[in-house]
Amino acid sequence: MLLGTSGGPPWWNDSHREGVSSAVVVGDKYYLVDAGDGVGKQIKKAKLGAWDKDMRGPLDALVAVFLTHLHSDHISDLYNILGTGLQNGVAIPDRVLEIYGPGNRGALPVNYKGAKIPADQVVNPANPTPGTRETIEAMVKTFATDFNDRIIDSGYPPPRDFFTGRDIVLPAELVDDPNGDPHPSMSPVEVFEDDRVKVTATLVQHAPVFPAFAFRFDTDTGSVTFSGDTGPSENLVELAKGSDVLVHEAIAAEWVAQRHPEPRDAAAEAEYQHLIGAHTTIEDVGGIAERAGVKKLVLNHLVPGNWPVEKWEKAGANFSGELVISEDFDAIAIG
């Protein structure tokens, strides 16, 4: 189920789309991919999970969370899942909700010209590139007042008892050069498995962001792959091979050119290069799905979030399967 289908941090004018987030629903449980703006309310509107006599909420049916990367538009409502989620089903006895995502980048990024962040502009110089585990630990410290009040006043357990961050571990040779080689060739790695799903992941091209992941969910009835944010990626093609559904991001190059017309100053050029180089255009996405041999291509994380639907339909030009331009709350059968 597509809970939110717009991409990027902007709150797009004249758009009904919420921030990017998806749920893989298997039976009476579900798994969350990313937690963009509005995800909590979208889970409620989608009627995932249900209230019961014990005041458990829709989050008690949530098994695990998978973060493709740590850009704000993919994690901006993560705290609502973890903190506000206390009253909505997260705090279940004998269940620790695991949040899987990228580990520490290990080095500050450089821009498309290889330039570094000026030293006096670095945020949190002691640890400027925290991964998933560290980000969630820092989030707990930030909201310590709230958590401690809930523990004292309402008898809730401490956060460590009901959620935790898990960095996806990769071989050392894949993560030793995040600036020089942010998209090394690799085979998929297993991240998670239970009696409903098996989740595998691969690195994708979203430099200077690193690591950035795509995820594949294999179930008894079929498989779905989520691209995350990425430019064209052979790693992704390998991960998605034979999937029933490929949920892939898309950006309108025409809009990018309109947003940053020539001549561009340094800041505009930097954003232009990122938008074009670290995302997949309408013209390219169909060919990627065709090479992966998927049956259905679902365009998601749409940038801009208010682009006319008929312009997105051009993505089907190089794809022989079924093309879906996603809308919030689209429910798509796997297999």
Side-chain angles (χ1 to χ4, degrees), residues 3-64:
L3 297 173
T5 56
S6 75
W11 295 337
W12 302 103
N13 293 333
D14 305 318
S15 176
H16 56 278
R17 302 178 186 276
E18 294 293 344
V20 65
S21 184
S22 304
V24 177
V25 184
V26 185
D28 60 353
K29 302 292 184 181
Y30 67 97
Y31 307 77
L32 201 62
V33 181
D34 289 328
D37 184 50
V39 64
K41 292 180 179 179
Q42 297 296 87
I43 288 171
K44 181 178 71 172
K45 290 177 181 177
K47 296 180 169 41
L48 298 178
W51 291 98
D52 63 18
K53 61 182 176 61
D54 297 320
M55 286 298 288
R56 290 184 177 179
L59 297 177
D60 86 343
L62 174 60
V63 179

Side-chain angles (χ1 to χ4, degrees), residues 81 90 161 258 267 327:
I81 299 295
V90 162
D161 288 356
Q258 292 172 0
E327 297 283 351

Side-chain angles (χ1 to χ4, degrees), residues 7 10 24-25 46-47 60 95 98 102 115 126 166 183 274 283 287 295:
V24 177
V25 184
K47 296 180 169 41
D60 86 343
R95 193 280 298 268
E98 295 182 312
R166 303 285 191 201
H183 184 219
H274 173 75
E283 293 76 15
K295 299 173 184 177

Side-chain angles (χ1 to χ4, degrees), residues 55-276:
M55 286 298 288
R56 290 184 177 179
L59 297 177
D60 86 343
L62 174 60
V63 179
V65 180
F66 300 87
L67 304 176
T68 59
H69 62 296
L70 301 181
H71 261 163
S72 61
D73 55 317
H74 292 253
I75 66 168
S76 60
D77 260 17
L78 182 59
Y79 172 74
N80 276 345
I81 299 295
L82 304 179
T84 309
L86 279 173
Q87 283 81 18
N88 295 290
V90 162
I92 298 175
D94 303 319
R95 193 280 298 268
V96 177
L97 179 68
E98 295 182 312
I99 303 97
Y100 293 88
N104 194 309
R105 190 180 193 277
L108 281 166
V110 297
N111 69 11
Y112 71 101
K113 290 184 176 180
K116 297 181 178 180
I117 300 172
D120 63 347
Q121 296 180 19
V122 174
V123 175
N124 191 29
N127 186 15
T129 60
T132 299
R133 177 184 59 80
E134 294 167 313
T135 295
I136 290 173
E137 289 173 354
M139 188 181 297
V140 170
K141 293 178 182 178
T142 297
F143 292 97
T145 293
D146 179 72
F147 284 123
N148 287 325
D149 285 349
R150 304 300 179 185
I151 293 168
I152 294 290
D153 287 345
S154 304
Y156 283 102
R160 66 173 181 269
D161 288 356
F162 58 89
F163 66 80
T164 189
R166 303 285 191 201
D167 293 343
I168 295 172
V169 178
L170 294 173
E173 64 271 15
L174 295 178
V175 297
D176 61 0
D177 191 9
N179 290 326
D181 190 15
H183 184 219
S185 177
M186 65 172 289
S187 295
V189 296
E190 185 172 330
V191 174
F192 175 90
E193 186 170 10
D194 64 8
D195 59 348
R196 290 177 172 83
V197 302
K198 177 180 179 181
V199 183
T200 48
T202 197
L203 288 169
V204 291
Q205 164 53 28
H206 195 45
V209 177
F210 179 89
F213 289 108
F215 293 110
R216 175 174 176 147
F217 290 74
D218 285 286
T219 76
D220 287 344
T221 60
S223 57
V224 56
T225 299
F226 296 87
S227 74
D229 282 13
T230 182
S233 168
E234 289 305 314
N235 285 347
L236 172 65
V237 171
E238 180 180 350
L239 179 72
K241 280 285 186 185
S243 292
D244 294 285
V245 181
L246 171 59
V247 181
H248 202 295
E249 69 121 270
I251 194 168
E254 178 186 352
W255 171 82
V256 178
Q258 292 172 0
R259 178 179 172 87
H260 294 301
E262 293 182 318
R264 293 183 283 266
D265 62 20
E269 184 65 29
E271 184 174 75
Y272 176 85
Q273 293 294 336
H274 173 75
L275 290 173
I276 292 297

